[in-house]
Amino acid sequence: MTDVDLLYTEVEDDLRAVVRSVLTAQCEPGAVTALYDGDRALVAGLWKNIAVDLGLAGLLVPEADGGAGASAREAAVVLEELGRFVAPVPFLTSAVVATTALLGSGSALLGQLAAGERTAALAVPLTTAAHAVSPTVSADADGRLTGDVTSVAGALESDVLLVPATGPEGVALYAISTADANLTPVVSFDMTRQLADLGFDGAAGELVVADGAAAVGRALAAGTALLASEQYGLARWCLDETVAYLRERRQFGRVVGGFQAIKHRLAELYTAVESGNAAARYAAATLATDDADAPVAASVAQAFCSDLAVHAGEEAVQLHGGMGMTWEHPAHLYLKRAKADQLAFGTAGTHRLRLAELVEVPRP
Protein backbone atom coordinates (compact mmCIF):
# COMPACT_ATOMS: atom_id res chain seq x y z
CA MET A 1 0.00 0.00 0.00
CA THR A 2 1.29 3.42 -0.97
CA ASP A 3 1.82 5.88 1.87
CA VAL A 4 -0.54 8.83 1.24
CA ASP A 5 -2.10 11.49 3.44
CA LEU A 6 -5.85 10.87 3.65
CA LEU A 7 -6.62 13.92 5.80
CA TYR A 8 -8.66 16.67 4.16
CA THR A 9 -6.69 19.79 3.23
CA GLU A 10 -7.84 23.32 3.96
CA VAL A 11 -8.66 23.77 0.26
CA GLU A 12 -10.81 20.64 0.30
CA ASP A 13 -12.63 21.77 3.44
CA ASP A 14 -13.32 25.17 1.87
CA LEU A 15 -14.58 23.50 -1.30
CA ARG A 16 -16.90 21.29 0.75
CA ALA A 17 -18.32 24.29 2.58
CA VAL A 18 -19.11 26.13 -0.66
CA VAL A 19 -20.75 23.11 -2.30
CA ARG A 20 -22.76 22.28 0.81
CA SER A 21 -23.99 25.86 1.06
CA VAL A 22 -25.34 25.78 -2.50
CA LEU A 23 -26.94 22.37 -2.08
CA THR A 24 -28.52 23.31 1.24
CA ALA A 25 -30.16 26.31 -0.38
CA GLN A 26 -31.25 24.70 -3.64
CA CYS A 27 -31.49 20.92 -3.30
CA GLU A 28 -34.14 20.33 -0.66
CA PRO A 29 -35.63 16.80 -0.48
CA GLY A 30 -39.07 17.76 -1.76
CA ALA A 31 -37.64 19.02 -5.04
CA VAL A 32 -35.59 15.84 -5.44
CA THR A 33 -38.62 13.63 -4.74
CA ALA A 34 -40.50 15.49 -7.49
CA LEU A 35 -38.26 13.81 -10.06
CA TYR A 36 -40.16 10.60 -9.45
CA ASP A 37 -43.29 12.37 -10.68
CA GLY A 38 -41.53 13.50 -13.85
CA ASP A 39 -40.72 17.03 -12.66
CA ARG A 40 -37.06 17.60 -13.57
CA ALA A 41 -37.19 21.39 -13.16
CA LEU A 42 -34.55 21.23 -10.42
CA VAL A 43 -31.84 19.69 -12.61
CA ALA A 44 -30.93 22.42 -15.11
CA GLY A 45 -30.75 25.31 -12.63
CA LEU A 46 -28.83 23.35 -10.01
CA TRP A 47 -26.36 22.07 -12.59
CA LYS A 48 -25.77 25.59 -13.89
CA ASN A 49 -24.95 26.81 -10.39
CA ILE A 50 -22.55 23.93 -9.79
CA ALA A 51 -21.00 23.75 -13.24
CA VAL A 52 -20.80 27.43 -14.19
CA ASP A 53 -21.21 29.60 -11.09
CA LEU A 54 -18.92 27.43 -8.95
CA GLY A 55 -16.83 26.37 -11.94
CA LEU A 56 -16.89 22.70 -10.96
CA ALA A 57 -17.54 21.37 -14.46
CA GLY A 58 -13.88 21.99 -15.22
CA LEU A 59 -12.48 20.79 -11.92
CA LEU A 60 -10.43 17.97 -13.51
CA VAL A 61 -9.52 19.91 -16.66
CA PRO A 62 -5.97 21.35 -16.82
CA GLU A 63 -5.67 25.13 -16.63
CA ALA A 64 -4.19 25.18 -20.14
CA ASP A 65 -7.49 23.79 -21.42
CA GLY A 66 -9.63 26.26 -19.50
CA GLY A 67 -10.22 24.23 -16.36
CA ALA A 68 -9.34 24.49 -12.68
CA GLY A 69 -6.45 22.04 -12.82
CA ALA A 70 -7.58 20.30 -9.64
CA SER A 71 -7.19 16.61 -8.83
CA ALA A 72 -9.34 13.61 -8.08
CA ARG A 73 -9.13 14.48 -4.38
CA GLU A 74 -11.12 17.68 -4.89
CA ALA A 75 -13.57 15.90 -7.20
CA ALA A 76 -14.07 13.29 -4.47
CA VAL A 77 -15.03 16.00 -1.96
CA VAL A 78 -17.61 17.36 -4.39
CA LEU A 79 -19.05 13.88 -4.88
CA GLU A 80 -19.27 13.33 -1.14
CA GLU A 81 -21.50 16.40 -0.89
CA LEU A 82 -23.54 15.50 -3.97
CA GLY A 83 -24.12 12.09 -2.42
CA ARG A 84 -25.07 13.68 0.88
CA PHE A 85 -27.88 15.57 -0.89
CA VAL A 86 -28.70 12.95 -3.58
CA ALA A 87 -28.19 15.82 -6.01
CA PRO A 88 -29.63 15.06 -9.48
CA VAL A 89 -26.79 16.64 -11.47
CA PRO A 90 -24.45 15.07 -14.08
CA PHE A 91 -21.21 15.85 -12.27
CA LEU A 92 -20.08 12.23 -12.19
CA THR A 93 -21.14 11.45 -15.74
CA SER A 94 -19.99 14.68 -17.40
CA ALA A 95 -17.37 16.43 -15.23
CA VAL A 96 -15.65 13.17 -14.25
CA VAL A 97 -16.26 10.32 -16.71
CA ALA A 98 -16.80 12.13 -20.02
CA THR A 99 -14.20 14.77 -19.20
CA THR A 100 -11.56 12.17 -18.27
CA ALA A 101 -12.16 10.40 -21.58
CA LEU A 102 -11.21 13.61 -23.41
CA LEU A 103 -8.13 14.57 -21.39
CA GLY A 104 -5.13 14.95 -23.64
CA SER A 105 -7.21 14.71 -26.80
CA GLY A 106 -6.78 18.32 -27.89
CA SER A 107 -10.50 18.49 -28.64
CA ALA A 108 -12.18 21.90 -28.35
CA LEU A 109 -15.03 20.06 -26.64
CA LEU A 110 -12.92 19.70 -23.50
CA GLY A 111 -12.79 23.47 -23.01
CA GLN A 112 -16.52 23.74 -23.63
CA LEU A 113 -17.19 21.14 -20.95
CA ALA A 114 -14.86 22.92 -18.55
CA ALA A 115 -16.70 26.22 -19.06
CA GLY A 116 -20.08 24.57 -18.51
CA GLU A 117 -21.14 25.55 -22.02
CA ARG A 118 -21.90 21.93 -22.87
CA THR A 119 -22.51 18.72 -20.96
CA ALA A 120 -21.43 15.28 -22.16
CA ALA A 121 -22.13 11.65 -21.41
CA LEU A 122 -20.06 8.58 -22.24
CA ALA A 123 -22.31 6.25 -24.23
CA VAL A 124 -21.71 2.98 -22.38
CA PRO A 125 -24.08 1.12 -20.04
CA LEU A 126 -23.77 2.39 -16.47
CA THR A 127 -22.98 -1.15 -15.34
CA THR A 128 -19.82 -1.35 -17.48
CA ALA A 129 -16.62 -2.06 -15.55
CA ALA A 130 -13.40 -0.38 -16.67
CA HIS A 131 -11.78 -3.69 -17.59
CA ALA A 132 -14.81 -5.03 -19.49
CA VAL A 133 -15.55 -2.50 -22.22
CA SER A 134 -17.23 -4.03 -25.27
CA PRO A 135 -18.55 -1.46 -27.77
CA THR A 136 -21.92 -2.22 -29.40
CA VAL A 137 -21.69 0.60 -31.96
CA SER A 138 -19.81 0.47 -35.26
CA ALA A 139 -18.39 3.33 -37.33
CA ASP A 140 -17.69 3.39 -41.05
CA ALA A 141 -14.83 5.23 -42.75
CA ASP A 142 -16.84 8.47 -42.72
CA GLY A 143 -17.55 8.26 -38.98
CA ARG A 144 -21.21 7.30 -39.40
CA LEU A 145 -22.39 5.44 -36.33
CA THR A 146 -24.70 2.42 -36.25
CA GLY A 147 -25.85 0.45 -33.22
CA ASP A 148 -27.56 0.67 -29.85
CA VAL A 149 -26.44 1.31 -26.28
CA THR A 150 -28.69 0.62 -23.30
CA SER A 151 -28.84 2.09 -19.80
CA VAL A 152 -26.68 5.17 -20.32
CA ALA A 153 -26.44 7.56 -17.37
CA GLY A 154 -26.28 11.31 -17.94
CA ALA A 155 -27.60 11.19 -21.52
CA LEU A 156 -30.79 13.08 -20.69
CA GLU A 157 -28.80 16.05 -19.39
CA SER A 158 -26.15 15.98 -22.13
CA ASP A 159 -25.67 18.10 -25.22
CA VAL A 160 -23.12 15.72 -26.71
CA LEU A 161 -22.52 11.98 -26.51
CA LEU A 162 -19.07 10.39 -26.52
CA VAL A 163 -19.57 7.10 -28.32
CA PRO A 164 -17.01 4.27 -28.32
CA ALA A 165 -17.36 2.59 -31.71
CA THR A 166 -15.52 -0.11 -33.60
CA GLY A 167 -14.25 1.33 -36.86
CA PRO A 168 -11.72 0.55 -39.58
CA GLU A 169 -8.78 1.23 -37.25
CA GLY A 170 -10.23 -0.40 -34.13
CA VAL A 171 -12.13 1.17 -31.24
CA ALA A 172 -12.25 4.96 -31.38
CA LEU A 173 -14.22 7.62 -29.53
CA TYR A 174 -16.64 9.78 -31.50
CA ALA A 175 -18.55 12.88 -30.41
CA ILE A 176 -22.10 13.30 -31.67
CA SER A 177 -24.87 15.71 -30.77
CA THR A 178 -27.46 14.15 -28.49
CA ALA A 179 -30.12 15.48 -30.86
CA ASP A 180 -28.74 13.23 -33.61
CA ALA A 181 -29.25 10.06 -31.58
CA ASN A 182 -32.46 8.18 -30.91
CA LEU A 183 -32.83 8.69 -27.17
CA THR A 184 -35.41 6.80 -25.13
CA PRO A 185 -35.69 7.67 -21.41
CA VAL A 186 -35.92 4.65 -19.12
CA VAL A 187 -38.00 4.56 -15.94
CA SER A 188 -35.11 3.98 -13.56
CA PHE A 189 -35.04 2.72 -10.00
CA ASP A 190 -33.09 5.87 -9.14
CA MET A 191 -34.74 8.74 -10.99
CA THR A 192 -32.13 11.20 -9.66
CA ARG A 193 -29.74 9.59 -12.16
CA GLN A 194 -32.17 8.52 -14.83
CA LEU A 195 -30.97 6.19 -17.55
CA ALA A 196 -31.68 6.26 -21.28
CA ASP A 197 -31.33 3.88 -24.20
CA LEU A 198 -29.53 5.21 -27.27
CA GLY A 199 -29.81 4.27 -30.91
CA PHE A 200 -27.58 5.37 -33.77
CA ASP A 201 -28.76 5.02 -37.35
CA GLY A 202 -26.02 6.38 -39.56
CA ALA A 203 -25.58 9.81 -37.98
CA ALA A 204 -22.11 11.25 -38.47
CA GLY A 205 -19.84 11.52 -35.45
CA GLU A 206 -16.65 13.51 -34.99
CA LEU A 207 -13.55 11.48 -34.18
CA VAL A 208 -12.15 12.90 -30.92
CA VAL A 209 -9.89 10.11 -29.61
CA ALA A 210 -8.27 7.57 -31.92
CA ASP A 211 -7.40 5.14 -29.11
CA GLY A 212 -10.95 4.86 -27.83
CA ALA A 213 -10.39 1.72 -25.78
CA ALA A 214 -7.73 3.40 -23.63
CA ALA A 215 -9.79 6.58 -23.25
CA VAL A 216 -12.93 4.71 -22.18
CA GLY A 217 -11.00 2.49 -19.80
CA ARG A 218 -9.36 5.54 -18.21
CA ALA A 219 -12.71 7.31 -17.88
CA LEU A 220 -14.48 4.35 -16.31
CA ALA A 221 -11.57 3.78 -13.93
CA ALA A 222 -11.95 7.38 -12.72
CA GLY A 223 -15.71 6.89 -12.36
CA THR A 224 -15.17 3.68 -10.41
CA ALA A 225 -12.74 5.25 -7.95
CA LEU A 226 -14.73 8.45 -7.39
CA LEU A 227 -18.15 6.81 -7.19
CA ALA A 228 -16.97 5.45 -3.83
CA SER A 229 -16.90 9.02 -2.49
CA GLU A 230 -20.52 9.53 -3.52
CA GLN A 231 -21.42 6.26 -1.82
CA TYR A 232 -19.61 7.37 1.31
CA GLY A 233 -21.55 10.66 1.23
CA LEU A 234 -24.83 8.75 1.01
CA ALA A 235 -23.85 6.53 3.92
CA ARG A 236 -22.69 9.47 6.04
CA TRP A 237 -26.04 11.27 5.62
CA CYS A 238 -27.92 8.11 6.57
CA LEU A 239 -25.82 7.69 9.71
CA ASP A 240 -25.97 11.34 10.78
CA GLU A 241 -29.71 11.72 10.22
CA THR A 242 -30.52 8.43 11.92
CA VAL A 243 -28.45 9.29 14.99
CA ALA A 244 -30.07 12.73 15.19
CA TYR A 245 -33.54 11.21 14.95
CA LEU A 246 -32.87 8.52 17.58
CA ARG A 247 -31.60 11.15 20.01
CA GLU A 248 -35.01 12.83 19.92
CA ARG A 249 -37.49 10.01 19.35
CA ARG A 250 -38.99 8.65 22.57
CA GLN A 251 -40.67 5.29 23.08
CA PHE A 252 -41.68 3.49 26.28
CA GLY A 253 -40.77 6.59 28.25
CA ARG A 254 -37.17 6.87 27.09
CA VAL A 255 -35.08 8.05 24.15
CA VAL A 256 -34.97 5.29 21.51
CA GLY A 257 -31.25 5.81 20.96
CA GLY A 258 -30.65 4.74 24.55
CA PHE A 259 -31.65 1.13 23.95
CA GLN A 260 -28.63 -1.15 23.91
CA ALA A 261 -29.61 -2.99 20.73
CA ILE A 262 -29.95 0.32 18.88
CA LYS A 263 -26.58 1.48 20.18
CA HIS A 264 -24.96 -1.68 18.83
CA ARG A 265 -26.45 -1.17 15.36
CA LEU A 266 -25.34 2.45 15.27
CA ALA A 267 -21.85 1.61 16.50
CA GLU A 268 -21.45 -1.01 13.78
CA LEU A 269 -22.72 1.41 11.14
CA TYR A 270 -20.40 4.15 12.37
CA THR A 271 -17.40 1.82 12.13
CA ALA A 272 -18.38 0.80 8.61
CA VAL A 273 -18.90 4.41 7.48
CA GLU A 274 -15.50 5.47 8.80
CA SER A 275 -13.91 2.52 7.02
CA GLY A 276 -15.73 3.52 3.84
CA ASN A 277 -14.33 7.02 4.16
CA ALA A 278 -10.79 5.65 4.35
CA ALA A 279 -11.32 3.37 1.34
CA ALA A 280 -12.87 6.14 -0.77
CA ARG A 281 -10.20 8.66 0.19
CA TYR A 282 -7.42 6.24 -0.67
CA ALA A 283 -8.98 5.49 -4.05
CA ALA A 284 -9.20 9.21 -4.82
CA ALA A 285 -5.68 9.91 -3.54
CA THR A 286 -4.06 7.19 -5.65
CA LEU A 287 -6.05 8.30 -8.69
CA ALA A 288 -4.92 11.90 -8.15
CA THR A 289 -1.24 10.91 -8.27
CA ASP A 290 -1.61 8.24 -10.97
CA ASP A 291 -0.27 5.78 -8.43
CA ALA A 292 0.35 2.19 -9.51
CA ASP A 293 -1.93 1.09 -6.66
CA ALA A 294 -4.91 3.00 -8.12
CA PRO A 295 -6.66 0.00 -9.75
CA VAL A 296 -6.40 -2.01 -6.53
CA ALA A 297 -7.60 0.95 -4.44
CA ALA A 298 -10.57 1.53 -6.76
CA SER A 299 -11.72 -2.08 -6.61
CA VAL A 300 -11.29 -2.20 -2.83
CA ALA A 301 -13.33 0.99 -2.49
CA GLN A 302 -16.12 -0.25 -4.75
CA ALA A 303 -16.24 -3.71 -3.19
CA PHE A 304 -16.72 -2.07 0.21
CA CYS A 305 -18.55 1.21 -0.37
CA SER A 306 -21.24 -0.06 -2.73
CA ASP A 307 -22.53 -2.48 -0.10
CA LEU A 308 -21.94 0.06 2.68
CA ALA A 309 -24.23 2.65 1.08
CA VAL A 310 -27.05 0.12 0.68
CA HIS A 311 -26.66 -1.09 4.25
CA ALA A 312 -26.70 2.48 5.57
CA GLY A 313 -29.82 3.26 3.53
CA GLU A 314 -31.59 0.19 4.85
CA GLU A 315 -30.67 1.07 8.43
CA ALA A 316 -31.91 4.65 7.94
CA VAL A 317 -35.28 3.43 6.68
CA GLN A 318 -35.70 0.83 9.42
CA LEU A 319 -34.46 2.88 12.35
CA HIS A 320 -36.69 5.81 11.45
CA GLY A 321 -39.58 3.44 12.07
CA GLY A 322 -42.90 4.10 10.34
CA MET A 323 -41.78 7.56 9.28
CA GLY A 324 -38.85 6.10 7.37
CA MET A 325 -41.25 4.10 5.21
CA THR A 326 -43.16 7.17 4.02
CA TRP A 327 -42.79 8.88 0.64
CA GLU A 328 -42.39 12.25 2.34
CA HIS A 329 -39.28 11.26 4.27
CA PRO A 330 -36.11 11.42 2.11
CA ALA A 331 -34.63 8.11 3.33
CA HIS A 332 -35.98 6.27 0.29
CA LEU A 333 -34.08 8.63 -2.03
CA TYR A 334 -30.79 7.54 -0.48
CA LEU A 335 -31.61 3.84 -0.55
CA LYS A 336 -32.61 4.03 -4.22
CA ARG A 337 -29.46 5.91 -5.20
CA ALA A 338 -27.38 3.44 -3.19
CA LYS A 339 -29.01 0.44 -4.88
CA ALA A 340 -28.44 1.96 -8.32
CA ASP A 341 -24.83 2.84 -7.46
CA GLN A 342 -24.33 -0.76 -6.37
CA LEU A 343 -24.54 -1.76 -10.04
CA ALA A 344 -22.57 1.15 -11.50
CA PHE A 345 -19.14 0.46 -13.03
CA GLY A 346 -19.34 -3.17 -11.93
CA THR A 347 -20.90 -4.81 -8.89
CA ALA A 348 -19.10 -5.46 -5.62
CA GLY A 349 -18.70 -9.09 -6.69
CA THR A 350 -17.16 -8.00 -9.98
CA HIS A 351 -14.62 -5.89 -8.13
CA ARG A 352 -13.77 -8.66 -5.70
CA LEU A 353 -12.96 -10.91 -8.64
CA ARG A 354 -11.02 -8.08 -10.27
CA LEU A 355 -9.13 -7.49 -7.03
CA ALA A 356 -8.15 -11.15 -6.89
CA GLU A 357 -6.71 -10.85 -10.40
CA LEU A 358 -4.84 -7.65 -9.59
CA VAL A 359 -3.14 -9.09 -6.50
CA GLU A 360 -2.73 -12.51 -8.10
CA VAL A 361 -4.94 -14.46 -5.72
CA PRO A 362 -6.27 -17.59 -7.45
CA ARG A 363 -10.03 -17.96 -7.70
CA PRO A 364 -11.64 -20.75 -5.67
Side-chain angles (χ1 to χ4, degrees):
M1 177 179 288
T2 306
D3 184 19
V4 296
D5 184 3
L6 301 185
L7 297 178
Y8 294 100
T9 66
E10 184 177 350
V11 170
E12 291 166 355
D13 286 337
D14 291 343
L15 176 61
R16 180 192 308 283
V18 171
V19 175
R20 184 175 296 187
S21 175
V22 170
L23 293 174
T24 299
Q26 300 184 31
C27 193
E28 59 93 20
V32 178
T33 304
L35 271 69
Y36 287 84
D37 295 321
D39 182 1
R40 301 186 66 81
L42 171 66
V43 179
L46 182 59
W47 176 236
K48 177 183 179 298
N49 287 329
I50 289 173
V52 180
D53 299 343
L54 296 186
L56 298 184
L59 198 62
L60 294 178
V61 178
E63 293 182 10
D65 293 316
S71 75
R73 289 179 63 117
E74 288 77 27
V77 170
V78 174
L79 281 163
E80 287 179 20
E81 292 305 305
L82 295 178
R84 192 178 183 90
F85 287 83
V86 205
V89 294
F91 181 83
L92 178 67
T93 53
S94 182
V96 173
V97 176
T99 294
T100 301
L102 290 174
L103 291 178
S105 67
S107 172
L109 178 57
L110 186 61
Q112 295 168 0
L113 295 182
E117 297 171 0
R118 305 180 79 181
T119 303
L122 183 64
V124 299
L126 181 61
T127 56
T128 305
H131 61 284
V133 179
S134 181
T136 56
V137 177
S138 60
D140 64 17
D142 296 323
R144 296 192 175 277
L145 306 178
T146 305
D148 302 301
V149 187
T150 60
S151 304
V152 177
L156 291 177
E157 290 78 34
S158 70
D159 305 301
V160 61
L161 300 168
L162 302 180
V163 186
T166 304
E169 304 297 328
V171 177
L173 195 63
Y174 295 83
I176 184 171
S177 171
T178 304
D180 292 335
N182 300 316
L183 188 150
T184 305
V186 175
V187 178
S188 310
F189 185 68
D190 171 27
M191 292 295 284
T192 66
R193 182 173 285 145
Q194 189 175 1
L195 306 180
D197 293 339
L198 307 177
F200 303 94
D201 190 19
E206 175 191 355
L207 177 65
V208 287
V209 182
D211 189 355
V216 174
R218 182 175 65 248
L220 294 180
T224 299
L226 293 178
L227 177 63
S229 292
E230 175 180 290
Q231 291 163 330
Y232 162 69
L234 293 169
R236 173 61 69 180
W237 181 92
C238 292
L239 173 63
D240 291 347
E241 290 298 310
T242 302
V243 169
Y245 171 75
L246 293 175
R247 282 175 171 171
E248 301 295 331
R249 177 72 170 126
R250 301 184 67 85
Q251 191 70 36
F252 306 114
R254 60 182 294 188
V255 174
V256 173
F259 289 100
Q260 193 69 16
I262 299 296
K263 288 181 178 180
H264 287 167
R265 289 175 67 170
L266 292 176
E268 290 173 0
L269 183 58
Y270 171 80
T271 302
V273 169
E274 289 298 310
S275 299
N277 185 21
R281 289 289 292 168
Y282 186 66
T286 54
L287 181 65
T289 57
D290 198 22
D291 192 285
D293 205 29
V296 172
S299 284
V300 167
Q302 269 309 301
F304 188 86
C305 291
S306 61
D307 289 343
L308 164 67
V310 173
H311 174 58
E314 291 171 341
E315 289 290 80
V317 170
Q318 293 179 14
L319 293 176
H320 275 82
M323 184 174 69
M325 303 290 181
T326 64
W327 187 254
E328 291 74 19
H329 194 277
H332 68 96
L333 299 173
Y334 292 82
L335 182 55
K336 290 169 183 172
R337 172 67 74 86
K339 286 297 291 183
D341 280 358
Q342 200 174 32
L343 303 177
F345 308 124
T347 64
T350 297
H351 284 286
R352 291 186 184 102
L353 291 175
R354 178 60 175 164
L355 186 58
E357 295 174 357
L358 290 170
V359 300
E360 300 180 351
V361 173
R363 296 188 183 187

